[in-house]
Amino acid sequence: MDFNVRKFATDAGIFFSRAVQFTEEKLGQAEKTELDAHFENLLSRADCTKNWTEKIYRQTEVVLQPNPGARIEEFLYEKLDRKVPPRPTNGEILGQFMLEAAKEFGAETPYGSTLIKVGDCQRRLGGAEREFLQTSSISFLTPLRNFLEGDWRTISRERKLLENLRLDLDACKARLKKAKAAETKAAAVPDFQETRPRNYVLSASASALWNEELDKAEHELRVAQTEFDRQAEVTRLLLEGISSTHVNHLRCLCEFVEAQAMYYSQCHKYMLELQRELGRRCPGSLDVNCLPDRSPTDPSAFLPLNSSSPLERDALQIEEVQPPASGTRKAKVLYDYDAADSIELSLRADELITVYTVPGIDSDWLIGERGNQKGRVPVTYLELLS
């Protein structure tokens, strides 16, 4: 092994000098070169970006893959630079179990045929989840990880180098200050009446030595200042690039939201199709083909399978319904609700209405009254008051 003793001694001396300077700064015994306010703001912004990016990245991983064992496995495969083997989603596994159960029970039986329909829907939901996970990993997680493992490591390395050069610069300033003080003391006028003439010779020699030391300290300071200024400019450029990082992360965030919206839209579509299929097979179920189109965020978009059919609803003449002698209650409306037909009552959030039940009405509905208006209202939209 080629061991360079001189280089080792030089590096050890630099390390010791930095350690002394750092310790004296902490003890308040040495001056410290302060960075300008703009540079300090850039450093603070970069640290904030790193901290929150790391938190968002970790939590997004948890949301996309709640299983910590699976996350560790994916991490190991990634570090080994190997492709992660395909893993079925929970929805796909559930769908497969349902299809296998249907074979055992008989596909021609009502239960077996329903298991086939639900199992197929669960597999499609699992497939949509798989696509969402892949898209989110590529468009959102990967850019965040690239920043943490690439750009941020470069910034950290340059910041560490800048801090070392600052310590060198301040150490040079301290040596120059000491050299000036010693040179001034040595250049003091000697006492020519001294009985020993050699004192004058020694004083002149010491003055010359300190002049030489002063020139050396000034040269080292100029070199250290040049290196520090150059490194400060490099670090400044990297820190100013954080703005571009924010722009890139904003674009990735929008893509993540688009992928999430598409995933939930597909899930909503599959569930509506399944509900229609079950409406044709399950006795007394709701035929959702007769439902008005509503937003996926509308709580009434998904109604219980055992709710009354349109024929049963038409058979109820709302005008003929009379409130019971006792049993009426006040209710607070939680959400806006637009009546689907003439026998329903539109609601506005936070208003108070009178509600009661009548024989033959489904348990998910009540009769609501507001002044002279009367109609069916969904229970899920109400908070019943005592």
Side-chain angles (χ1 to χ4, degrees):
M1 182 177 64
D2 186 14
F3 183 73
N4 192 326
V5 178
R6 178 173 296 181
K7 182 178 184 301
F8 176 78
T10 302
D11 293 341
I14 293 175
F15 176 80
F16 180 75
S17 174
R18 291 170 179 172
V20 171
Q21 178 66 27
F22 180 80
T23 304
E24 290 180 349
E25 288 177 358
K26 291 298 181 181
L27 296 176
Q29 299 175 358
E31 298 180 357
K32 177 181 177 181
T33 300
E34 299 292 343
L35 301 171
D36 59 83
H38 176 62
F39 201 99
E40 291 288 352
N41 289 335
L42 291 176
L43 290 175
S44 177
R45 189 166 182 242
D47 289 333
C48 183
T49 300
K50 183 262 180 182
N51 292 335
W52 283 111
T53 300
E54 194 170 39
K55 291 180 180 179
I56 292 173
Y57 175 78
R58 299 303 178 196
Q59 190 58 35
T60 304
E61 278 190 323
V62 173
V63 170
L64 297 180
Q65 179 51 269
N67 187 348
R71 293 200 303 272
I72 294 176
E73 181 183 356
E74 293 174 357
F75 175 79
L76 293 177
Y77 272 102
E78 179 183 347
K79 291 304 179 182
L80 295 174
D81 198 19
R82 297 178 60 183
K83 185 178 180 181
V84 180
R87 182 188 298 108
T89 62
N90 293 329
E92 291 175 320
I93 296 175
L94 175 59
Q96 185 62 33
F97 286 170
M98 288 184 173
L99 293 177
E100 293 176 0
K103 294 179 181 179
E104 292 288 336
F105 300 144
E108 69 282 354
T109 64
Y111 184 37
S113 60
T114 303
L115 277 174
I116 291 176
K117 292 297 180 182
V118 178
D120 182 65
C121 179
Q122 294 299 325
R123 293 180 63 179
R124 287 189 293 168
L125 290 173
E129 181 184 3
R130 181 197 301 276
E131 293 181 6
F132 168 62
L133 296 179
Q134 293 175 348
T135 303
S136 300
S137 177
I138 295 173
S139 63
F140 189 59
L141 283 182
T142 299
L144 297 186
R145 184 172 61 249
N146 290 341
F147 167 74
L148 294 173
E149 298 180 356
D151 295 348
W152 181 251
R153 287 186 179 179
T154 302
I155 292 175
S156 299
R157 183 173 60 251
E158 297 301 328
R159 285 178 63 178
K160 183 178 179 180
L161 180 57
L162 178 64
E163 178 64 13
N164 289 337
L165 292 177
R166 184 198 63 77
L167 291 173
D168 293 342
L169 175 62
D170 289 337
C172 289
K173 289 180 179 179
R175 283 197 295 270
L176 178 61
K177 185 177 180 180
K178 292 178 181 179
K180 285 183 177 181
E183 192 270 341
T184 301
K185 183 178 180 180
V189 179
D191 185 5
F192 290 101
Q193 303 299 324
E194 179 65 44
T195 57
R196 297 179 180 179
R198 69 186 184 89
N199 289 343
Y200 176 76
V201 177
L202 293 175
S203 177
S205 176
S207 178
L209 290 175
W210 281 114
N211 284 334
E212 182 180 350
E213 185 68 21
L214 180 63
D215 293 340
K216 180 180 178 182
E218 290 177 344
H219 173 71
E220 291 177 349
L221 178 61
R222 287 192 297 269
V223 173
Q225 185 69 55
T226 300
E227 293 179 351
F228 174 78
D229 292 341
R230 184 186 302 113
Q231 184 60 32
E233 184 62 26
V234 171
T235 308
R236 184 192 301 273
L237 292 175
L238 290 174
L239 294 175
E240 289 175 347
I242 292 294
S243 298
S244 300
T245 300
H246 285 189
V247 173
N248 182 42
H249 288 181
L250 172 61
R251 177 182 58 80
C252 297
L253 181 61
C254 293
E255 292 179 359
F256 174 67
V257 173
E258 289 294 330
Q260 203 169 24
M262 182 177 297
Y263 166 62
Y264 288 121
S265 176
Q266 287 180 324
C267 292
H268 178 243
K269 175 184 175 183
Y270 295 152
M271 292 307 299
L272 284 181
E273 292 176 355
L274 175 63
Q275 209 173 20
R276 291 190 181 95
E277 291 292 333
L278 297 183
R280 299 189 186 101
R281 286 169 171 73
C282 300
S285 64
L286 173 68
D287 185 358
V288 297
N289 288 307
C290 301
L291 285 177
D293 291 334
R294 290 180 182 167
S295 169
T297 59
D298 188 345
S300 66
F302 296 97
L303 296 177
L305 292 175
N306 61 351
S307 60
S308 60
S309 66
L311 295 179
E312 292 172 340
R313 290 168 54 180
D314 291 340
L316 179 63
Q317 299 299 322
I318 201 66
E319 295 82 6
E320 299 175 1
V321 173
Q322 297 297 325
S326 62
T328 61
R329 301 178 63 179
K330 290 292 185 180
K332 180 182 178 181
V333 179
L334 300 177
Y335 319 102
D336 290 346
Y337 176 75
D338 295 327
D341 51 35
S342 60
I343 67 172
E344 293 184 1
L345 179 66
S346 295
L347 303 174
R348 292 296 172 261
D350 297 328
E351 70 174 341
L352 294 178
I353 62 173
T354 301
V355 295
Y356 51 90
T357 185
V358 295
I361 192 172
D362 189 87
S363 60
D364 293 314
W365 297 82
L366 291 172
I367 301 298
E369 289 187 0
R370 181 181 56 235
N372 296 327
Q373 296 178 319
K374 182 189 304 182
R376 289 160 55 99
V377 293
V379 175
T380 54
Y381 282 65
L382 304 174
E383 178 186 353
L384 298 179
L385 306 177
S386 58

